[in-house]
Amino acid sequence: MSTLTLPLMGFQNSFITTVIAEIRESFRAKWFFLYTLIFGGAIVMLLALGITESQVLGFTGLSRLLITYIQLCVAILPVFILITTVRTVVGDRESNVLEYILSLPISLGAYYWGKLTARFIIVFIPVLLALSGAVFWGAVKNLTIPWSIVGYYSLMLASLAWAFLGTGMFISTLVRKQEWALGLAFLVWLTLLLFIDVILIGVLLQNQLMEEVIIGIALLNPLQVFRTGAILLFDPELSLLGPASYVILDNMGYTGFLFYSILYPLGLGWAFSWLGYKIFKTGDLV
Amino acid sequence: MIKLSNINKSFAQHQVLDELELELKIGDRIALIGQNGAGKTTLIRTLLGQYTAEGQLSMFGLNPRQQRIEVLQKIGFVPQHSPPIQMSVGELVDFSAALSLTPMKDEVYALAGKLEFDIEEQAGKPFFKLSGGMKQKLLIALALSKRPEFLIMDEPAANLDPAGRKAFFDELSLLPQNTTMLLSSHRVDELLPFINRIIEMDCGRIVHDQQLADEIKAGKSLDCKIQITGEGEAIRKTLDSWKFSNGSNPGLYSGKLAEADRTKFFIEIAQFSKQIKELKMEAE
């Protein structure tokens, strides 16, 4: 076998092997059970509570259910992804699993990107299943199904999940102790949470900061971008959100912001995961 | 085959490998000894391409960092501590087999069987839930079944029961003569039948590198003088057992050693290295 084809074959082979192994492992993990319970259970709970039949600010039916689900996802999904992902590399390193796995002929790229891909599948499947369950329920109950909203929302969730998976993997390669990784994950999440719209209003009022700075911060915060984009699907005037969202919408337009809310977190996830890979590949592996 | 030249590695300003020079040839069977912190594990991890280090390192003419797949295809490794891998036994075997270029699955089952570990029986059990000895047997079977050109084992027999040890050593003795081995162990005495070279590390350097076969065959003997410090009851007992005697100077022992026993002697007194002030050996 030529030395040119061997690494390529090695990458494909070890990438698929890693993805399968990681998915199998995650299915057995307690965090995955809890995660599925929360995101699947949330939909079941919302349906059981009859939320599709209530009406708030003009939203009813499946739209009402989805808007509530969004609030839940903004609050829980990023922190859940962060605290489970930051332990991926550093956890394997601390427990000496990495020493053994990387003594096998596995490409570093295949190991890293295989783990990330598997995590993405694992994180996204329960959310997607929950959404599909809600749509199925809506169909059974003869409710109007907002297909475009479900589609956009799924894309946004995928993009948000990728952003925080990338950030989590970056942190996981950056630190050498799991405690540090968890601490850093919470710090990132709290910082992003601090800079969502409601807090930005306070900053704007108290410090009289330039509007451009506030808008810039809002546009850089994937939580804010997701929140604004998700609400925009239901409320094109953004009457439910704060001033930063309103100004963003004014500048970017409805379609422009919807694209941005999908592409920006996706780009952020790629950037951080790539940085994480660079750190992983160039430093000590164990 | 494997050449390390001027290798330096440090962690947080602590030098762990210090201008290390080492060359391993095809068929070298090495016992790597040294106290904790001597640099053995760092050396092994450097050979596996897991640590970056200053200096030149060539494995089979390749760089283990840049051509890791090609290098690691030729290496079988058993770590000192079995890691808490979450995969089931069957999945771990499949995982290792999928990464190997040579078909090895049947061989793993057969080898594990010889080590008295039934993979089929344990296939669904998570690896981390196996006993220490079972984990070690499976990792040994996985490493040997690759038919590696270079076998690296860090305390391979530490967790094995007597029957497992015997089966393991039997398998070691069946490996092809051109298999190069690096075996790190605190019980080198039981490795002596399988090794032809002994390397001792201390403070990140190789302080003793001895080819065994030729000198042992020659049947020479050595005059040995050893100056010890302090009370050291244990070292005195050890020297007594080697029929060493001390004269007017209570810390100075002298005796004769067969060349064949040189390594065994070194291994026994290595644990008292801090109490040894001076050691002289001269061929008769």
Side-chain angles (χ1 to χ4, degrees):
Chain A
M1 194 170 298
S2 82
T3 50
L4 277 174
T5 55
L6 184 60
L8 185 64
M9 199 199 82
F11 179 85
Q12 286 171 342
N13 184 26
S14 35
F15 175 78
I16 294 165
T17 308
T18 307
V19 170
I20 294 170
E22 181 71 10
I23 288 176
R24 276 177 170 170
E25 215 169 291
S26 298
F27 275 141
R28 281 194 297 261
K30 284 181 187 133
W31 73 263
F32 177 71
F33 176 71
L34 189 66
Y35 175 79
T36 310
L37 200 70
I38 288 173
F39 284 92
I43 285 279
V44 173
M45 195 183 71
L46 292 175
L47 290 170
L49 289 173
I51 206 154
T52 51
E53 282 145 36
S54 66
Q55 183 167 358
V56 175
L57 292 165
F59 301 122
T60 187
L62 268 187
S63 301
R64 170 82 180 102
L65 177 109
L66 289 173
I67 203 167
T68 312
Y69 196 58
I70 281 166
Q71 306 296 335
L72 201 76
C73 286
V74 172
I76 307 173
L77 191 70
V79 71
F80 218 112
I81 292 176
L82 275 176
I83 59 172
T84 53
T85 312
V86 291
R87 288 189 285 194
T88 307
V89 176
V90 73
D92 277 1
R93 188 178 273 149
E94 271 192 335
S95 62
N96 287 327
V97 168
L98 207 57
E99 181 196 35
Y100 183 71
I101 297 294
L102 294 185
S103 75
L104 301 172
I106 184 170
S107 126
L108 296 182
Y111 168 82
Y112 182 89
W113 296 109
K115 283 253 175 195
L116 188 58
T117 306
R119 285 271 164 161
F120 176 74
I121 294 168
I122 284 295
V123 159
F124 195 54
I125 280 178
V127 177
L128 198 65
L129 283 178
L131 280 177
S132 308
V135 169
F136 179 72
W137 176 265
V140 170
K141 291 281 180 184
N142 280 327
L143 298 172
T144 310
I145 297 167
W147 285 109
S148 60
I149 289 179
V150 172
Y152 269 119
Y153 187 39
S154 304
L155 281 176
M156 276 184 196
L157 277 173
S159 176
L160 186 78
W162 188 254
F164 283 95
L165 279 169
T167 311
M169 286 298 272
F170 169 69
I171 293 172
S172 194
T173 55
L174 195 65
V175 296
R176 310 297 286 190
K177 295 272 174 202
Q178 285 194 70
E179 289 83 359
W180 276 96
L182 281 172
L184 210 53
F186 274 114
L187 190 68
V188 168
W189 181 65
L190 282 174
T191 307
L192 295 179
L193 213 58
L194 275 174
F195 284 99
I196 61 170
D197 215 29
V198 180
I199 312 234
L200 286 174
I201 301 168
V203 174
L204 184 65
L205 288 173
Q206 284 177 18
N207 298 318
Q208 295 176 330
L209 279 179
M210 286 166 64
E211 187 185 86
E212 289 79 7
V213 176
I214 304 293
I215 303 305
I217 292 170
L219 281 173
L220 286 174
N221 183 350
L223 274 187
Q224 172 70 50
V225 170
F226 174 78
R227 187 167 170 262
T228 310
I231 299 295
L232 194 63
L233 292 172
F234 305 94
D235 174 20
E237 302 297 322
L238 282 182
S239 54
L240 295 178
L241 287 182
S245 302
Y246 187 75
V247 178
I248 292 166
L249 180 64
D250 211 30
N251 286 315
M252 297 180 86
Y254 179 82
T255 314
F257 192 79
L258 280 185
F259 271 109
Y260 180 76
S261 61
I262 291 169
L263 295 177
Y264 171 66
L266 207 61
L268 199 68
W270 274 114
F272 274 116
S273 51
W274 185 255
L275 270 176
Y277 177 55
K278 283 283 172 196
I279 293 169
F280 175 65
K281 197 180 163 189
T282 48
D284 287 338
L285 301 175
V286 294
Chain B
M1 185 182 99
I2 291 162
K3 192 170 182 187
L4 294 91
S5 181
N6 197 24
I7 294 288
N8 286 286
K9 177 70 186 169
S10 53
F11 296 111
Q13 295 177 335
H14 174 63
Q15 192 86 4
V16 187
L17 296 182
D18 189 7
E19 296 177 1
L20 192 93
E21 301 280 341
L22 181 64
E23 194 167 347
L24 310 184
K25 295 183 184 71
I26 293 171
D28 272 356
R29 295 175 173 223
I30 298 151
L32 181 65
I33 61 168
Q35 293 192 335
N36 292 338
K40 303 187 297 290
T41 301
T42 306
L43 171 63
I44 288 172
R45 289 177 172 180
T46 305
L47 289 170
L48 290 168
Q50 297 180 342
Y51 280 153
T52 54
E54 288 172 27
Q56 282 83 50
L57 168 59
S58 167
M59 307 269 293
F60 317 103
L62 303 167
N63 183 313
R65 289 288 289 199
Q66 285 154 13
Q67 291 137 315
R68 55 175 278 116
I69 293 181
E70 293 91 324
V71 170
L72 293 174
Q73 286 287 359
K74 299 172 194 282
I75 297 178
F77 172 63
V78 178
Q80 183 177 8
H81 304 290
S82 299
I85 296 169
Q86 304 283 321
M87 285 181 229
S88 69
V89 168
E91 285 167 8
L92 181 58
V93 173
D94 289 344
F95 185 80
S96 299
L99 295 173
S100 176
L101 282 180
T102 51
M104 54 174 267
K105 209 169 156 182
D106 292 342
E107 189 112 356
V108 180
Y109 277 68
L111 265 166
K114 285 181 189 171
L115 295 168
E116 297 181 350
F117 178 75
D118 189 341
I119 292 180
E120 277 183 54
E121 196 178 282
Q122 307 285 346
K125 197 169 184 179
F127 177 81
F128 73 93
K129 286 192 176 169
L130 297 175
S131 70
M134 284 179 167
K135 285 180 197 162
Q136 199 82 347
K137 285 174 183 177
L138 181 58
L139 296 184
I140 288 169
L142 287 168
L144 295 181
S145 60
K146 280 174 78 176
R147 298 190 175 277
E149 289 179 36
F150 184 26
L151 188 62
I152 302 175
M153 293 181 157
D154 202 351
E155 294 288 347
N159 290 315
L160 298 182
D161 50 38
R165 291 171 101 85
K166 186 186 176 305
F168 166 60
F169 291 129
D170 286 348
E171 288 307 316
L172 270 192
S173 64
L174 292 174
L175 286 172
Q177 284 301 308
N178 59 0
T179 307
T180 305
M181 286 187 216
L182 185 68
L183 308 171
S184 168
S185 178
H186 284 103
R187 291 191 59 185
V188 185
D189 51 326
E190 63 183 12
L191 293 179
L192 281 174
F194 312 101
I195 59 174
N196 56 22
R197 188 175 170 188
I198 186 158
I199 292 175
E200 186 183 357
M201 287 187 73
D202 190 29
C203 299
R205 283 172 175 260
I206 288 164
V207 292
H208 178 69
D209 185 350
Q210 185 191 2
Q211 297 285 346
L212 296 182
D214 295 343
E215 286 157 335
I216 289 172
K217 278 176 195 166
K220 293 176 185 170
S221 63
L222 302 159
D223 270 333
C224 181
K225 286 188 169 47
I226 183 164
Q227 177 78 52
I228 61 169
T229 55
E231 289 296 315
E233 197 179 330
I235 188 172
R236 286 176 194 275
K237 275 187 181 171
T238 302
L239 292 171
D240 287 343
S241 73
W242 282 90
K243 311 265 187 263
F244 275 49
S245 57
N246 58 337
S248 52
N249 181 349
L252 182 64
Y253 280 76
S254 56
K256 281 193 191 302
L257 274 181
E259 179 67 59
D261 289 335
R262 181 211 285 245
T263 305
K264 198 174 174 190
F265 177 73
F266 270 133
I267 294 160
E268 281 196 29
I269 64 162
Q271 59 188 309
F272 309 113
S273 60
K274 285 184 181 159
Q275 292 164 266
I276 299 170
K277 193 177 173 190
E278 196 175 4
L279 174 65
K280 274 186 186 172
M281 277 186 178
E282 283 175 356
E284 274 193 324

